Amino acid sequence: MQTACQAVQHQKGRRQYNKLRNLLKDPRHDCTVFANEFHQHCYLPREKGESMEKWQTRNIYNAAAWYHNHCLGQMPVVMVTEDEDAIRQYGNETEGVFVISFKHYLDNFWPDLKAAHELFDSIVQARRERESESQENHGKEYPEHLPVEVLEAGIKSGRYLQGALNVNKHRAQLEAFVRLQGVGSKDTELQSDILIYGTKARNRAIHGDVVVVELLPVHEWKGRTVALCENETEDKAPADTTGDPMPTGKVVGIIQKNWRDYVVTFPSKEESQSQGRNAQKVLVTPWDYRIPKIRISTQQAEALQEYRVVVRIDSWESTSLYPNGHFVRVLGRIGDLEGEIAAILVENSICAAPFSEIQMSEMPVSSPKNPWKVSPEEAKKRLDLRDTHLIFSIDPKGCEDVDDALSVRTLPNGNLELGVHIADVTHFVAANSYTDVEARARATTYYLADRRYDMLPSVLSADLCSLLSGVDRYAVSVLWELEKESLETLRVQYTRTLIRSAYKLEYETAQGLLDGDTSVVGDILELKGLEEGARQEKLAELVWAISKLTDIARHVRAKRDRCGALELEGIEIRVQLDDKRNIHDLIPKQPLEVHETVAECMILANHWVAKRISEDFPLQALLRQHPPPRQEFFTELRECASAKGFSIDTRSNKALAESLDRANDPSDPIVNKLLRSMATHAMSNALYFSTGSCPEEQFHHYGLALEKYTHFTSPIRRYADIVVHRLLMAATLRGTTGDVKDNIISNKDLEELCRHINNRNRAAQRAQKQSTELFQCMYFRDRSAESDERCVADGVIYSIRTNGVLVFVPRYGIKGAAYMKNKEGLVISCQGAGSCQWKPGSLHRSQHKITSTTTTGDSMTLSLFDHITVRILVQSSRCHAETIKLEIISNTPHHTADTEAAQRSLHGVKSELVKEVSQSAEEAQRAQDRARLEVMDEESREFCQTKGPSLYQLLEEIRELALLDVTEDIRT
């Protein structure tokens, strides 16, 4: 009811009102807002002297009574309120209109809904505790937040700064940082983040909140911690472990509280006894180190000590050291796989519920007895490629959601035609249908180490919209006509098609065909059972197509290389499970040139689609931008490169790419690998945006060196691609259909949708990373660190800290800290035989190395990029996720066959053939006649980005960039 919504805004504030409004707008909840204040028989004017609350209650009851009579008394109407006066006044006034409290509503209408009753009791108990506490505690633990109008005025004047609070998970009690947004005009010269030192300065703000900060005087500024540290509760950092002073401030207000559900653990029996007298008040410890302990009231604390539990925060008063919350539900036992996976899902706000009956009712029928068939009417509307094109897909082993396929053929005029064919998901998912609304809410398919949670029902993602071989499928295709010699684009066509993929290839099989390895032919199921002559003929066609696609991809990539395209690699670690779903091994994925071939074709399609939709819808097209990084973020990269005598120039894309290519140690290819990882670490994340929300000069994608870019090629697993498909169809079919405008979202709604998708993408990346770390810990937890040789590996030092080093383990894609000084103050000492011991002594750290010196005079120096031998341990935690811990056992490299294979794989990521094509293309360009210069300039504008440096993300499908020491990767 309209008045009820306004009552929430009046009593609870805009944040709660917006949450209610979003719930009502969600079609999955089947809610309708009745504008009762605009109805002749429902509106009641406010009486003189009547309070706002009383008037709103009277209006709501009057509308409820009218609606009951409007329905001829055939259904009861329930008005739920906690206003006891209203219950007494209206409870018995109209038969069939119930005015009751929420508790009576649950008791009378839902007596068997146990979970709802427990949740209600928890909320009521938390509210009572909070009220009694505020009466008892008169002292302030924190200063009061400033009024909103003061904060807004201070931001405009430049006195205060606004940004999102980001707590350092390794020093959660000490360090948090605020990244600026909406900076006041007087302080735009402030470029770095603002350090918030200590919980008092944080002033009850929680990680993720949008806060307002006041800078402290310069003499009070502090430096960030540069020592290795475990996730402990120290509230003071040693004086010699901090870096140079940086802008430091304190939180004076909170603009937006981004609270969510939190996974917590109850204290053990020993901890419970030490917490105090009141057993019903319990301090629970969040799974996320960055969240403070939460006080809840419950009588189930003892029974829930061995479980992961979900709680919500209700408030954080200035008189309380901790926020107050309430119990929501139990997830599972601590340490159990399903319980830990459930914790990861909750922590990232991921919904893994099955699709509802009403959503499934929208799906087409497809079963072995009644398979789905192409509609003759629909076939007439599409370009039929089934008999004219050799179409095939190349995907990872076991892939079910095949949403892209490729083709290449020679045209009658001798030119080539390149085709990228994408599953036509929007044919089956109508805009604003129940399935569409659910897909929009999920925004992406969530890939974990051992499972996935689909954005769309499996009848689409694994069947009707999966471009499997030998079956007819609807597709949206982009077809380019390429000049036969130069491979330049002459014409491009976007159209809905009907295709039949001839082959479903795995990456390894396609690479084998490209390399001339005939042993992989047996892996191609579609060739089995054919006569030898027909088999050889089809095989020759397929090999020609893969080779020609690779040539085209090399050509396109060579263009991007000439623009300074920067190649960064990551190692994907795949969890290999046995038949009983136990972890058998952790396997680094081997990079192949065919990965580049497929990725380059997809990038090309995304680029051309972006150009088309932004031309037709300049103010409401969904594109993807990647802003240039700030130069100060390259500091660590430049310093580390100098340790090996390399100079990294970050002033432009061309300079950065060339200097990274030169920063190559022939004796140790992993040095270049780590430098490229650091370059990636300096990059910001690519984001979706609406073209109407920012000027065109900000459209460019820094990473891919393209003026315009979007996502079009994966509509099965990304909702952004579904939006882009609708935009493309509206652009290409304009004038031929009457409902084109129905598929176009306004700029304002598209902005909101992009924010949502960006948020969900970050959640998907975090969940993927956390699940991989979970399986890494499970893998090593079940092994003896002392006796199992798999727990000993070669590690490479990539960062020096005051008390240890950060190490990368290529074999398992693990990055972790290795301490050189323990908690007892002993330092590590490695003997001549290579074994290490802890002895009294001291550490001395310089820019590129760290030296351990014992009291007996023995010393050991470790430098950047040194190879050492580490033991991999698992650090258990009752309240948090387990973590990998590295222990130095030798200052010499650890040589195994796996180590050598891992290093050899680093050579193959960027094909030498691509480099040769790039070099020859540069030579040809210099030799061209001046008459061609204008044409080349035009092509450069299409494919190149000259506003800044560029980055090329090799594998769009990489599930875990283990090299990156960040929670979010920068996928294209």
Side-chain angles (χ1 to χ4, degrees):
M1 202 169 290
Q2 175 193 4
T3 305
C5 293
Q6 291 176 349
V8 170
Q9 182 176 7
H10 174 69
Q11 297 173 26
K12 302 293 184 181
R14 176 158 291 274
R15 180 172 176 267
Q16 294 296 330
Y17 169 74
N18 287 335
K19 287 181 66 175
L20 175 62
R21 188 184 66 173
N22 291 333
L23 285 171
L24 295 173
K25 286 169 62 178
D26 192 334
R28 294 174 297 176
H29 297 134
D30 287 329
C31 294
T32 301
V33 177
F34 174 39
N36 60 295
E37 294 184 19
F38 293 90
H39 192 281
Q40 179 181 359
H41 301 294
C42 296
Y43 176 74
L44 295 174
R46 185 175 173 183
E47 296 177 354
K48 188 175 182 180
E50 186 177 27
S51 69
M52 176 67 75
E53 291 80 3
K54 293 292 184 184
W55 172 70
Q56 287 174 334
T57 301
R58 192 161 57 90
N59 251 327
I60 293 169
Y61 174 76
N62 185 57
W66 175 87
Y67 186 67
H68 177 69
N69 294 328
H70 176 72
C71 296
L72 303 178
Q74 295 182 9
M75 61 186 303
V77 174
V78 181
M79 175 179 166
V80 179
T81 178
E82 298 304 308
D83 186 341
E84 295 182 1
D85 291 339
I87 294 173
R88 284 193 296 270
Q89 182 176 354
Y90 302 118
N92 299 314
E93 187 167 310
T94 305
E95 185 178 354
V97 178
F98 297 87
V99 183
I100 55 178
S101 67
F102 193 77
K103 177 172 174 51
H104 289 156
Y105 172 68
L106 285 177
D107 291 342
N108 293 316
F109 287 86
W110 305 99
D112 300 326
L113 207 58
K114 184 180 177 182
H117 285 268
E118 290 177 351
L119 177 59
F120 176 77
D121 292 341
S122 175
I123 294 172
V124 170
Q125 181 67 21
R127 182 181 294 177
R128 288 173 181 164
E129 297 285 355
R130 189 165 68 249
E131 290 173 353
S132 63
E133 181 183 276
S134 62
Q135 293 173 0
E136 294 172 5
N137 295 345
H138 300 294
K140 301 281 186 183
E141 298 289 350
Y142 298 95
E144 294 288 351
H145 293 147
L146 298 178
V148 175
E149 56 270 19
V150 175
L151 297 176
E152 291 176 347
I155 292 170
K156 288 181 179 178
S157 68
R159 178 180 179 182
Y160 302 139
L161 304 169
Q162 176 181 323
L165 185 76
N166 185 17
V167 178
N168 179 357
K169 67 178 180 180
H170 300 293
R171 287 283 190 188
Q173 297 297 311
L174 282 178
E175 288 184 354
F177 301 91
V178 173
R179 177 145 305 174
L180 302 183
Q181 53 181 233
V183 184
S185 57
K186 293 184 180 180
D187 287 284
T188 51
E189 72 275 4
L190 189 63
Q191 292 296 313
S192 70
D193 295 341
I194 299 173
L195 172 65
I196 309 296
Y197 191 85
T199 54
K200 292 294 184 183
R202 213 175 295 172
N203 194 5
R204 296 170 286 148
I206 292 175
H207 174 76
D209 287 352
V210 178
V211 299
V212 178
V213 175
E214 181 178 21
L215 282 177
L216 297 176
V218 174
H219 68 271
E220 295 184 30
W221 288 8
K222 298 179 182 293
R224 68 173 72 212
T225 304
V226 294
L228 298 176
C229 48
E230 297 180 5
N231 298 300
E232 297 178 351
T233 56
E234 304 104 338
D235 56 4
K236 189 176 291 185
D240 61 344
T241 64
T242 57
D244 296 332
M246 63 181 295
T248 306
K250 63 180 180 180
V251 174
V252 295
I254 301 176
I255 296 292
Q256 181 177 327
K257 296 175 181 177
N258 290 321
W259 297 349
R260 54 173 174 81
D261 285 359
Y262 299 102
V263 178
V264 303
T265 305
F266 279 79
S268 62
K269 288 184 179 180
E270 297 77 15
E271 293 171 324
S272 297
Q273 292 170 358
S274 65
Q275 279 200 9
R277 48 188 174 75
N278 193 339
Q280 286 191 350
K281 286 186 179 181
V282 183
L283 275 178
V284 294
T285 304
W287 187 84
D288 187 341
Y289 284 99
R290 299 169 298 184
I291 307 302
K293 289 183 178 181
I294 302 169
R295 180 164 45 218
I296 66 171
S297 298
T298 180
Q299 298 179 353
Q300 305 180 63
E302 187 173 344
L304 295 175
Q305 285 176 351
E306 301 304 318
Y307 291 86
R308 300 277 189 225
V309 174
V310 179
V311 303
R312 288 182 188 146
I313 294 177
D314 298 317
S315 66
W316 195 348
E317 307 298 335
S318 60
T319 55
S320 174
L321 275 173
Y322 301 101
N324 294 295
H326 65 269
F327 165 86
V328 177
R329 69 181 188 276
V330 176
L331 289 180
R333 282 191 174 274
I334 297 171
D336 286 354
L337 175 60
E338 294 305 317
E340 297 301 317
I341 290 291
I344 290 173
L345 296 178
V346 170
E347 280 295 312
N348 293 287
S349 304
I350 294 174
C351 171
F355 291 95
S356 67
E357 288 185 17
I358 195 166
Q359 289 158 4
M360 296 305 296
S361 69
E362 296 178 337
M363 296 295 97
V365 176
S366 182
S367 64
K369 293 183 179 179
N370 185 21
W372 174 85
K373 296 179 181 178
V374 169
S375 163
E377 293 78 14
E378 182 65 26
K380 293 176 183 177
K381 302 175 185 176
R382 295 175 176 266
L383 180 63
D384 193 341
L385 306 182
R386 291 176 291 183
D387 299 325
T388 57
H389 289 62
L390 175 63
I391 297 174
F392 54 92
S393 61
I394 307 176
D395 290 286
K397 186 176 182 179
C399 178
E400 294 179 355
D401 49 350
V402 182
D403 45 17
D404 59 79
L406 300 166
S407 69
V408 62
R409 64 171 184 159
T410 303
L411 296 173
N413 62 6
N415 290 333
L416 294 176
E417 181 190 73
L418 168 66
V420 172
H421 313 277
I422 307 301
D424 190 358
V425 172
T426 57
H427 173 80
F428 299 99
V429 180
N432 299 317
S433 62
Y434 287 103
T435 306
D436 182 56
V437 170
E438 180 64 29
R440 187 188 311 157
R442 299 189 182 203
T444 182
T445 291
Y446 299 93
Y447 292 95
L448 304 190
D450 67 330
R451 67 194 73 188
R452 75 170 190 261
Y453 297 98
D454 290 327
M455 183 183 77
L456 295 171
S458 61
V459 67
L460 294 184
S461 61
D463 189 2
L464 304 187
C465 291
S466 188
L467 306 183
L468 306 172
S469 63
V471 292
D472 295 342
R473 290 291 182 259
Y474 297 145
V476 178
S477 302
V478 183
L479 303 168
W480 295 266
E481 182 179 345
L482 307 176
E483 204 279 324
K484 57 185 176 183
E485 297 296 336
S486 66
L487 299 181
E488 299 302 326
T489 300
L490 303 177
R491 186 176 65 89
V492 63
Q493 179 184 7
Y494 312 89
T495 183
R496 275 185 155 150
T497 55
L498 181 58
I499 69 169
R500 183 185 299 136
S501 175
Y503 303 97
K504 181 180 182 292
L505 302 177
E506 296 174 359
Y507 279 119
E508 292 76 10
T509 305
Q511 186 66 47
L513 294 177
L514 186 63
D515 296 339
D517 181 3
T518 56
S519 66
V520 301
V521 176
D523 298 331
I524 305 175
L525 299 178
E526 294 83 356
L527 293 180
K528 292 183 177 180
L530 296 178
E531 294 181 359
E532 184 62 23
R535 181 168 163 272
Q536 290 298 330
E537 182 181 349
K538 287 184 174 294
L539 180 60
E541 290 178 350
L542 179 59
V543 170
W544 178 89
I546 295 175
S547 300
K548 190 56 66 176
L549 279 175
T550 304
D551 289 342
I552 294 170
R554 290 171 184 165
H555 170 79
V556 175
R557 178 56 199 264
K559 272 190 170 185
R560 293 149 49 71
D561 279 346
R562 293 199 301 272
C563 298
L566 179 63
E567 179 186 355
L568 301 183
E569 306 101 1
I571 290 182
E572 177 185 355
I573 298 299
R574 182 167 59 87
V575 178
Q576 187 181 74
L577 304 177
D578 59 22
D579 295 338
K580 297 180 180 179
R581 297 188 68 77
N582 295 318
I583 306 170
H584 177 66
D585 201 358
L586 300 174
I587 303 174
K589 184 175 179 180
Q590 298 301 315
L592 305 169
E593 186 183 5
V594 75
H595 289 144
E596 287 189 9
T597 298
V598 175
E600 201 62 52
C601 291
M602 297 303 116
I603 290 171
L604 188 66
N606 289 333
H607 168 58
W608 280 87
V609 168
K611 292 203 300 183
R612 180 59 194 265
I613 62 174
S614 60
E615 288 170 3
D616 283 69
F617 305 106
L619 298 178
Q620 53 203 114
L622 187 153
L623 298 188
R624 191 159 172 81
Q625 65 182 172
H626 188 202
R630 284 155 44 175
Q631 283 297 308
E632 61 265 28
F633 291 170
F634 285 118
T635 302
E636 183 183 10
L637 169 65
R638 289 191 290 260
E639 290 178 352
C640 287
S642 66
K644 280 284 186 178
F646 301 128
S647 176
I648 303 294
D649 186 348
T650 61
R651 290 175 298 175
S652 70
N653 56 342
K654 187 76 169 176
L656 181 57
E658 290 177 349
S659 55
L660 278 174
D661 284 341
R662 288 193 299 268
N664 188 39
D665 185 346
S667 63
D668 189 4
I670 205 164
V671 170
N672 189 263
K673 184 87 170 177
L674 285 168
L675 291 175
R676 292 181 186 275
S677 170
M678 292 174 191
T680 305
H681 186 55
M683 307 295 172
S684 55
N685 285 331
L687 299 170
Y688 297 109
F689 71 102
S690 170
T691 51
S693 64
C694 66
E696 189 167 351
E697 56 266 23
Q698 296 180 15
F699 287 7
H700 64 280
H701 194 294
Y702 169 86
L704 295 175
L706 295 172
E707 292 285 350
K708 293 175 183 176
Y709 190 71
T710 191
H711 273 166
F712 157 78
T713 53
S714 295
I716 289 178
R717 60 182 182 87
R718 292 188 304 228
Y719 190 76
D721 300 53
I722 290 180
V723 176
V724 170
H725 273 237
R726 289 176 179 149
L727 285 164
L728 181 63
M729 290 301 97
T732 56
L733 301 177
R734 179 174 287 185
T736 62
T737 56
D739 59 346
V740 165
K741 292 185 178 179
D742 295 341
N743 294 334
I744 308 305
I745 307 174
S746 70
N747 175 55
K748 182 180 178 181
D749 290 341
L750 187 57
E751 272 191 276
E752 187 175 337
L753 177 60
C754 288
R755 280 194 293 270
H756 167 70
I757 297 176
N758 290 331
N759 176 273
R760 292 293 81 213
N761 280 350
R762 286 190 289 268
Q765 292 162 9
R766 288 193 302 267
Q768 193 171 13
K769 183 175 187 292
Q770 290 163 0
S771 72
T772 301
E773 291 170 347
L774 168 65
F775 275 88
Q776 286 174 336
C777 290
M778 291 175 64
Y779 177 77
F780 290 106
R781 184 180 63 194
D782 298 334
R783 285 161 174 77
S784 170
E786 299 297 329
S787 60
D788 196 322
E789 62 179 15
R790 287 170 291 189
C791 295
V792 177
D794 186 66
V796 185
I797 297 172
Y798 68 91
S799 185
I800 306 289
R801 300 298 172 88
T802 57
N803 59 340
V805 292
L806 294 177
V807 179
F808 171 61
V809 182
R811 168 63 180 89
Y812 300 112
I814 290 172
K815 294 180 86 172
Y819 287 85
M820 296 180 67
K821 188 173 187 177
N822 64 17
K823 294 180 180 179
E824 288 72 36
L826 303 178
V827 300
I828 198 164
S829 173
C830 289
Q831 309 303 313
S835 61
C836 295
Q837 296 178 342
W838 295 101
K839 295 182 177 181
S842 61
L843 293 178
H844 175 70
R845 174 202 182 217
S846 61
Q847 188 175 15
H848 300 143
K849 60 186 178 181
I850 183 170
T851 300
S852 167
T853 306
T854 66
T855 53
T856 59
D858 297 329
S859 67
M860 177 191 73
T861 299
L862 295 179
S863 302
L864 276 174
F865 303 115
D866 278 357
H867 285 251
I868 58 176
T869 302
V870 295
R871 178 178 286 118
I872 303 171
L873 308 167
V874 176
Q875 184 168 330
S876 299
S877 173
R878 185 174 170 276
C879 299
H880 310 283
E882 293 178 329
T883 54
I884 293 290
K885 183 178 179 181
L886 302 180
E887 184 179 280
I888 300 174
I889 59 175
S890 172
N891 59 344
T892 59
H894 180 69
H895 290 291
T896 65
D898 287 338
T899 304
E900 294 167 5
Q903 291 198 2
R904 282 198 303 270
S905 72
L906 299 176
H907 292 284
V909 180
K910 182 171 183 178
S911 167
E912 291 299 321
L913 287 169
V914 175
K915 290 185 177 179
E916 291 177 13
V917 171
S918 179
Q919 291 169 359
S920 62
E922 289 180 355
E923 293 171 3
Q925 184 176 355
R926 286 193 294 267
Q928 283 177 341
D929 189 84
R930 290 182 181 273
R932 291 269 298 165
L933 190 58
E934 185 176 343
V935 177
M936 289 301 297
D937 286 344
E938 183 178 347
E939 290 166 356
S940 179
R941 283 194 296 273
E942 289 181 354
F943 285 93
C944 307
Q945 169 60 40
T946 56
K947 292 183 176 64
S950 65
L951 156 73
Y952 173 56
Q953 179 62 41
L954 173 63
L955 297 177
E956 197 173 27
E957 295 290 339
I958 279 184
R959 298 187 182 177
E960 173 61 29
L961 289 180
L963 264 174
L964 304 190
D965 194 17
V966 288
T967 57
E968 302 155 356
D969 61 16
I970 52 167
R971 300 182 179 189
T972 59

